[in-house]
């Protein structure tokens, strides 16, 4: 466990609920900010903070990785009440004038920063009013129906029809990172989604989403919170001029070809592997197309080195080659296939769900409106984590494969659902 530094900063930032206009006696002040460098497992419980009046509401938000659970107290820690990251509690705690929180950091998790806000009966208001929200005229509440487990920093799918948007946590103020897949599908990184559900907010102006493609639409939008790298466990949209060497390692064949052009990663007789990222369970999604007689392969590989002999590989495979149209293979031995070939140079969205039971491999049209193929293999034979590989099949060597984007989300048996409140 790392040692950590702890201090309170009375800064210009803070987080809180969207409140009605306050009476003149209310004194708005910055919240309390706690900086850490602490990994798991650990419990953090700073000393109580004396307030001038009886505490009426408590707000907390935090920068975390993995699972960090929070509790707050108004009576110095004699009694604690659970609070979700990004939430404001207006009741449910025993009243008092000694503010305190407790954070429990689970295994493989990190706590970096806690922002603690409150209001009290003296008129003090240490809740953040996000200055960014002044740029947006309207907002909508989004009801989030919880999934099969308590989730942290989860990429939640939200259906939108606007491009000039901004999301906040349930406190109505804490900004959330998001990623626009297209003009309808948006993924929002929600700080915490309890099983009982939560809510978030979408702020927007009158701009309706353009029918233009994802890449063009995102270039038109300037937002510091529009960032796929911050939303997903792993992400690349290949918009950089070159393949990122810190992220990928290239293993080339005899007729190698690997380059980025027009926002696509073009591969021919070539494999690129995630250099450091591995998954054991997760939802691996990508958008890709292939030239005539070329095959799109995505692998989970036990070793990343090019010198590794006989690495264990789980492979999902898509082509118009007879017998390998939509396939799951283990170590290049096909286990299942459905005879639904792809069309040359046509974009498809693929989804490979990897869990303890095996692999579910699905193919969708590029607008996600049609599911075109699905197979499931229940015994993959290896439960170790693997590196992600993107590959063109050298056996056909007749054309290139083009990857538009690739990303990884956490696996959840029952995913949470977002419902926009009109």
């Amino acid at each position: 466990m790392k040692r950590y530094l702890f201090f309170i900063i009375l800064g210009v930032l803070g987080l809180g609920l969207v409140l009605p206009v306050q009476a003149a006696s209310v004194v708005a002040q910055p919240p309390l900010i706690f900086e850490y460098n602490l990994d798991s497992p650990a419990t953090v419980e700073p000393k109580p903070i004396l307030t001038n009046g009886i505490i009426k509401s408590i707000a907390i938000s935090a920068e975390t990785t993995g699972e960090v659970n929070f509790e707050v107290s108004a009576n110095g820690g004699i009694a604690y009440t659970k609070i979700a990251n990004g939430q404001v509690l207006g009741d449910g705690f025993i009243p008092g004038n000694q503010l305190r929180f407790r954070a429990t950091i689970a295994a493989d998790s990190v706590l970096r920063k806690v922002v603690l806000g409150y209001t009290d009966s003296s008129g003090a208001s240490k809740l953040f009013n996000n200055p960014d929200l002044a740029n947006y005229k309207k907002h909508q509440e989004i009801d989030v129906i919880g999934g099969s487990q308590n989730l942290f920093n989860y990429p939640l799918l939200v259906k939108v029809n606007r491009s000039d948007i901004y999301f906040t946590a349930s406190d109505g103020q804490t900004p959330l990172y998001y990623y626009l897949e297209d003009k309808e599908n948006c993924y929002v990184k929600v700080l915490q989604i309890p099983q009982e559900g939560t809510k978030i907010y979408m702020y927007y102006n009158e701009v309706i989403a353009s029918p233009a493609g994802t890449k063009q639409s995102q270039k038109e939008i300037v937002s510091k919170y529009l960032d796929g790298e911050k939303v997903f466990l792993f992400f690349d949209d290949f918009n950089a001029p070159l393949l990122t060497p810190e992220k990928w390692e290239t293993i080339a064949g005899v007729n190698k070809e690997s380059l980025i052009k027009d926002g696509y990663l073009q591969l021919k007789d070539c494999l690129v592997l995630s250099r450091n990222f591995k998954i054991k369970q997760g939802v691996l999604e990508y958008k890709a197309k292939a030239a005539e007689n070329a095959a799109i392969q995505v692998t989970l590989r036990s070793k990343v080195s090019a010198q590794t002999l006989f690495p264990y590989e789980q492979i999902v495979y898509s082509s118009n080659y007879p017998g390998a149209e939509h396939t799951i293979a283990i170590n290049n031995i096909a286990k299942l296939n459905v005879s639904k070939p792809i069309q040359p140079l046509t974009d498809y969205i693929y989804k490979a769900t990897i869990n303890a039971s095996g692999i579910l491999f699905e193919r969708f049209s590029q607008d996600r409106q049609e599911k075109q193929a699905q197979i499931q293999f229940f015994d993959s034979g290896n439960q170790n984590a693997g590196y992600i590989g993107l590959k063109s099949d050298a056996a056909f060597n007749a054309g290139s494969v083009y990857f538009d984007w690739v990303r990884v989300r956490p696996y959840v048996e029952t995913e949470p659902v977002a419902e926009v409140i009109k």
Side-chain angles (χ1 to χ4, degrees):
M1 182 179 72
K2 294 181 181 177
R3 296 179 62 86
Y4 65 93
L5 299 175
F6 158 68
F7 51 92
I8 301 175
I9 305 173
L10 295 179
V12 296
L13 294 178
L15 302 163
L17 183 66
V18 177
L19 298 173
V21 177
Q22 302 288 336
S25 60
V26 171
V27 180
Q29 296 175 302
L32 308 171
I33 301 178
F34 301 76
E35 298 276 358
Y36 295 95
N37 182 22
L38 183 62
D39 61 11
S40 59
T43 299
V44 178
E45 191 175 17
K47 294 179 179 180
I49 299 162
L50 188 65
T51 62
N52 293 327
I54 301 300
I55 296 169
K56 297 168 62 177
S57 65
I58 306 173
I60 201 165
S61 66
E63 293 180 10
T64 66
T65 299
E67 178 179 344
V68 181
N69 290 285
F70 292 95
E71 301 166 283
V72 290
S73 173
N75 61 5
I78 297 173
Y80 275 107
T81 301
K82 289 182 179 180
I83 184 172
N85 190 357
Q87 185 181 15
V88 174
L89 289 182
D91 54 31
F93 54 87
I94 297 175
N97 67 338
Q98 296 184 67
L99 181 65
R100 198 174 192 183
F101 75 87
R102 182 164 62 194
T104 304
I105 308 168
D108 302 318
S109 302
V110 180
L111 175 62
R112 297 183 182 87
K113 181 178 181 179
V114 175
V115 180
L116 183 66
Y118 69 92
T119 61
D120 68 23
S121 60
S122 74
S125 177
K126 293 199 172 189
L127 298 174
F128 177 52
N129 291 304
N130 188 338
D132 290 345
L133 300 182
N135 299 320
Y136 297 89
K137 297 178 181 179
K138 297 183 178 182
H139 71 273
Q140 285 182 305
E141 180 180 325
I142 299 173
D143 187 25
V144 182
I145 301 169
S148 54
Q149 63 191 72
N150 193 14
L151 299 171
F152 300 85
N153 297 310
Y154 184 81
L156 176 71
L157 176 61
V158 179
K159 295 292 184 178
V160 299
N161 64 349
R162 303 180 185 278
S163 57
D164 184 16
I165 51 180
Y166 189 106
F167 293 92
T168 72
S170 66
D171 61 11
Q173 300 290 316
T174 306
L176 301 177
Y177 286 99
Y178 67 98
Y179 167 74
L180 286 168
E181 178 181 300
D182 51 39
K183 63 187 179 68
E184 293 183 352
N185 296 296
C186 179
Y187 286 86
V188 183
K189 184 179 181 180
V190 182
L191 300 178
Q192 186 173 350
I193 306 177
Q195 280 186 275
E196 61 269 23
T198 186
K199 61 183 176 181
I200 61 174
Y201 291 92
M202 180 176 70
Y203 291 78
Y204 62 94
N205 290 314
E206 298 297 334
V207 179
I208 303 298
S210 166
T214 302
K215 294 179 184 294
Q216 180 180 347
S217 299
Q218 293 209 42
K219 288 177 182 178
E220 294 172 352
I221 303 166
V222 178
S223 172
K224 56 188 174 184
Y225 297 105
L226 177 61
D227 189 342
E229 296 276 358
K230 296 290 182 65
V231 173
F232 300 103
L233 298 176
F234 183 85
F235 174 83
D236 203 333
D237 60 4
F238 307 113
N239 276 334
L242 298 172
L243 199 63
T244 307
E246 294 79 16
K247 186 178 292 186
W248 299 102
E249 176 173 335
T250 302
I251 300 176
V254 176
N255 301 300
K256 66 177 181 178
E257 186 172 286
S258 172
L259 60 92
I260 291 180
K261 183 178 180 182
D262 300 327
Y264 284 88
L265 170 64
Q266 180 178 350
L267 299 176
K268 183 177 181 180
D269 190 14
C270 199
L271 165 68
V272 297
L273 285 163
S274 57
R275 187 176 293 274
N276 299 306
F277 181 79
K278 295 192 295 184
I279 60 167
K280 184 175 182 179
Q281 293 192 128
V283 179
L284 170 61
E285 295 172 297
Y286 54 99
K287 185 177 181 180
K289 61 185 177 181
E292 183 74 30
N293 291 327
I296 304 165
Q297 287 191 23
V298 171
T299 76
L300 283 185
R301 181 181 170 119
S302 59
K303 300 292 184 181
V304 73
S305 173
Q307 282 70 46
T308 301
L309 295 176
F310 310 116
Y312 183 88
E313 285 188 308
Q314 303 174 52
I315 303 171
V316 291
Y317 194 99
S318 184
S319 72
N320 63 1
Y321 187 76
E325 296 93 339
H326 189 81
T327 302
I328 293 176
I330 306 296
N331 290 338
N332 283 320
I333 299 174
K335 300 296 183 179
L336 290 171
N337 180 67
V338 291
S339 300
K340 295 186 176 180
I342 59 175
Q343 297 301 312
L345 297 177
T346 300
D347 279 308
Y348 299 92
I349 292 178
Y350 296 89
K351 179 179 178 182
T353 303
I354 303 106
N355 57 34
S357 299
I359 303 173
L360 171 64
F361 182 37
E362 301 166 280
R363 187 177 84 224
F364 300 85
S365 58
Q366 62 177 319
D367 59 3
R368 284 191 179 273
Q369 297 301 309
E370 178 189 4
K371 181 187 287 190
Q372 299 179 341
Q374 173 179 312
I375 51 176
Q376 187 165 12
F377 183 59
F378 286 103
D379 183 13
S380 58
N382 181 29
Q383 298 304 319
N384 295 324
Y387 297 91
I388 296 172
L390 310 180
K391 186 178 181 182
S392 61
D393 193 335
F396 301 129
N397 197 27
S400 297
V401 169
Y402 305 83
F403 288 91
D404 191 347
W405 49 257
V406 60
R407 63 177 183 238
V408 178
R409 301 188 282 117
Y411 168 74
V412 183
E413 184 176 353
T414 303
E415 296 185 340
V417 177
E419 294 184 350
V420 179
I421 307 299
K422 301 298 184 180

